[in-house]
Amino acid sequence: VICGVMTHLCCETTARSAFVRGFEVFFTVDGTASYNERFHLATLLNLSHGFAVPALVEELLAVCRSKDAN
């Protein structure tokens, strides 16, 4: 699960690096940010073409909560 700042630099690099190492990558749409919305959106579009699964933080937390309940 990728969260952080500089969506188009640090976060994207981390996501791609994890992908090539065989991890299933979940990239938080609302848990990453950049100083430029166009850079942020471009990274989300690029990564969603196979490198990562875009997800909302609340969606990921709900999955974690449901696994804890079982």
Side-chain angles (χ1 to χ4, degrees):
V1 175
I2 308 295
C3 298
V5 294
M6 298 304 284
T7 306
H8 64 292
L9 294 174
C10 303
C11 299
E12 184 171 351
T13 299
T14 301
R16 287 174 182 264
S17 183
F19 173 81
V20 299
R21 287 174 171 77
F23 288 92
E24 183 177 13
V25 180
F26 294 90
F27 199 91
T28 56
V29 173
D30 57 339
T32 55
S34 189
Y35 61 86
N36 182 309
E37 185 179 11
R38 291 183 305 163
F39 290 159
H40 179 75
L41 295 175
T43 291
L44 295 175
L45 181 63
N46 288 335
L47 291 178
S48 69
H49 283 279
F51 292 104
V53 176
L56 298 173
V57 170
E58 189 54 43
E59 292 172 339
L60 296 172
L61 289 174
V63 170
C64 292
R65 288 183 194 117
S66 70
K67 288 186 179 191
D68 285 344
N70 294 328

